[in-house]
């Protein structure tokens, strides 16, 4: 499911950049539970949310985007 892929990518980059869920959630202006749901794949991230994540983590949206062959 595409939602799972986005969540895994967000979680991986969040950890790579040294953010906790709490820290990134505060940076994005969302609750930790919303971020957790997105990372687990139980909530679909909006385009605006994905843009905010890429800006907060200082990575291009294209790099954050899951590849088509990612399992």
């Amino acid at each position: 499911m595409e939602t799972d892929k986005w969540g895994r990518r967000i979680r991986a980059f969040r950890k790579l950049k040294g953010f906790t869920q709490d820290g990134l959630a505060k940076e994005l202006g969302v609750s930790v539970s919303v971020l957790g749901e997105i990372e687990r794949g139980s909530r679909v991230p909006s385009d605006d949310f994905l843009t905010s994540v890429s800006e907060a983590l200082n990575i291009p949206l294209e790099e954050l985007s899951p590849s088509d062959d990612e399992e």
Side-chain angles (χ1 to χ4, degrees):
M1 177 184 275
E2 189 72 19
T3 307
D4 293 340
K5 293 177 185 179
W6 277 110
R8 286 195 304 263
R9 301 280 297 175
I10 291 169
R11 181 184 305 121
F13 277 108
R14 172 179 60 77
K15 289 181 176 184
L16 183 68
K17 296 290 186 165
F19 279 92
T20 62
Q21 271 191 335
D22 186 54
L24 183 57
K26 285 180 181 173
E27 181 80 20
L28 298 172
V30 300
S31 68
V32 175
S33 62
V34 167
L35 180 57
E37 288 174 4
I38 290 170
E39 287 187 356
R40 286 189 302 277
S42 59
R43 181 182 282 228
V44 179
S46 69
D47 290 342
D48 288 342
F49 181 84
L50 294 172
T51 300
S52 296
V53 169
S54 71
E55 290 171 357
L57 297 178
N58 197 28
I59 57 172
L61 186 56
E62 295 78 24
E63 190 172 343
L64 182 62
S65 177
S67 63
D68 290 335
D69 61 347
E70 185 176 323
E71 293 181 17

